[in-house]
Amino acid sequence: VNTDDLRDLVLEVLSGIAPETDPSSVDPTEDLRDELDLDSMDELNLITRVGERLGIDIPERDYRQMRTLDGAVDYLSGRLDRRVG
Amino acid sequence: VNVPGGQLDGPVWRTCPILEQPGAGDEAWLTRPERLRADAIGHRAARTRFVVGRSLLRRTILEVRPELDRSELTLGLASSGRPQLAEHPELASSISHTRGLAAVAVAVVGGVGIDVEPRARVDLPPVAAWLTRDEQRRMLARPGCDVPTWLLNLWVVKEAVIKATDSGYPIARVDLEVCDDGRGGGCVIVPRAGAGASVHTMVRVRLAVVGRFVVAIATS
């Protein structure tokens, strides 16, 4: 799984949570809660669904690292690298 | 239009409907840095919620402490992300907004947290991500009960408690054991084994229904 796959996965899950989302318009450095109007429940749904799809458990202390698209991709990439290593 | 909230042994909480756009009166309550921050929020509805929430919080602070000067209410953010009054850090405050309603709480003593959700909301995350094992057992042991409402109440209680405790370390939702079935009363924070000292903190929680919304107010 490369970073493009991870980006596509996050955007796909996001589009299920916020159907009005246009994936091409998401600023990868912007806080997703502000940009897509997500609240804490949406945020937890996003993280649990992404975790399920990748087969990883994402602890709550790491949620802050997933608040932007770039942050989420970096975090997930690191987690998957450690799993492989 | 403001909907009166209530007063719980000190904390004052208020709610305000969120319409499509904030009123000019709401905008006028914001400081210049807040207006810049609001304008940086890309999503229009999110911007409206920010403006209405900040405006309501300022008005509630002045209701609690009418002697304060409106022009000196500088709202910063504590490390936890919740609003903090720079000139009066002894005043605790909390903001929550959802689609259609903003809610704020202000306390003169101790911490305070507030959370609001539409009562019809059903897209709750998987329970394993935010319920303790005991809470999951209790959920299964309630045949015939209105589980969606029970879960939604539990959700807003936990969110409010997390905001109210603000103890300097992140508290995971799965570490919060709510002992009152989410209908009000006490709440015990139970850190996971190995997560630190065995601190058990009692937090008072109250649930209220405001129209089609449920609101939880927690005080620590």
Side-chain angles (χ1 to χ4, degrees):
Chain A
V1 180
N2 61 34
T3 54
D4 287 340
D5 295 331
L6 291 172
R7 193 173 302 272
D8 290 345
L9 170 63
V10 173
L11 289 172
E12 180 192 331
V13 174
L14 269 176
S15 65
I17 292 169
E20 71 281 9
T21 301
D22 173 6
S24 65
S25 70
V26 174
D27 181 337
T29 63
E30 186 76 18
D31 190 319
L32 291 167
R33 295 170 303 169
D34 285 345
E35 189 175 19
L36 303 179
D37 197 24
L38 304 183
D39 62 16
S40 53
M41 201 182 289
D42 295 324
E43 184 183 43
L44 186 54
N45 274 322
L46 168 67
I47 290 167
T48 53
R49 288 179 199 176
V50 168
E52 281 170 8
R53 293 278 295 272
L54 295 172
I56 59 173
D57 178 43
I58 302 172
E60 197 158 337
R61 65 175 176 275
D62 292 347
Y63 289 179
R64 283 172 189 261
Q65 297 179 55
M66 295 188 60
R67 292 217 161 138
T68 65
L69 181 56
D70 278 353
V73 170
D74 286 347
Y75 172 78
L76 295 169
S77 181
R79 285 291 309 273
L80 293 176
D81 282 349
R82 282 200 294 277
R83 190 171 67 174
V84 171
Chain B
V1 179
N2 292 324
V3 178
Q7 188 156 341
L8 300 170
D9 299 336
V12 172
W13 60 281
R14 296 287 181 264
T15 61
C16 179
I18 298 176
L19 307 177
E20 252 185 54
Q21 290 194 348
D26 289 319
E27 300 270 3
W29 278 93
L30 267 60
T31 59
R32 182 174 157 70
E34 282 176 325
R35 281 195 207 106
L36 292 173
R37 184 176 161 197
D39 291 342
I41 297 175
H43 196 287
R44 195 177 71 169
R47 181 190 185 281
T48 298
R49 272 200 281 282
F50 174 83
V51 172
V52 173
R54 287 302 182 107
S55 160
L56 180 61
L57 179 57
R58 281 214 163 73
R59 284 181 277 136
T60 306
I61 288 171
L62 287 180
E63 187 181 336
V64 173
R65 297 282 299 273
E67 75 279 12
L68 296 181
D69 185 336
R70 171 178 168 170
S71 65
E72 292 179 1
L73 298 182
T74 309
L75 282 170
L77 287 178
S79 58
S80 60
R82 78 176 184 181
Q84 189 173 49
L85 203 56
E87 298 87 351
H88 297 276
E90 77 281 6
L91 278 178
S93 61
S94 179
I95 300 181
S96 177
H97 21 63
T98 187
R99 295 164 181 93
L101 194 76
V104 304
V106 177
V108 178
V109 179
V112 67
I114 193 164
D115 195 64
V116 58
E117 288 289 351
R119 291 160 65 196
R121 189 157 188 183
V122 293
D123 58 332
L124 285 154
V127 294
W130 61 281
L131 261 61
T132 65
R133 287 177 193 274
D134 192 51
E135 286 166 346
Q136 291 179 51
R137 275 195 293 273
R138 277 163 35 208
M139 180 186 75
L140 295 173
R142 298 169 67 90
C145 98
D146 183 356
V147 172
T149 299
W150 185 81
L151 284 173
L152 187 65
N153 289 348
L154 205 55
W155 174 271
V156 291
V157 165
K158 288 198 176 198
E159 293 296 290
V161 168
I162 288 170
K163 293 176 183 176
T165 50
D166 190 19
S167 55
Y169 64 95
I171 303 172
R173 296 178 182 93
V174 290
D175 292 337
L176 290 179
E177 182 74 36
V178 176
C179 300
D180 65 355
D181 286 359
R183 284 200 287 264
C187 176
V188 181
I189 301 167
V190 185
R192 224 185 240 158
S198 56
V199 180
H200 290 211
T201 306
M202 288 301 295
V203 179
R204 297 189 62 202
V205 187
R206 170 91 174 262
L207 275 176
V209 170
V210 178
R212 59 188 178 90
F213 302 91
V214 60
V215 182
I217 307 101
T219 52
S220 62

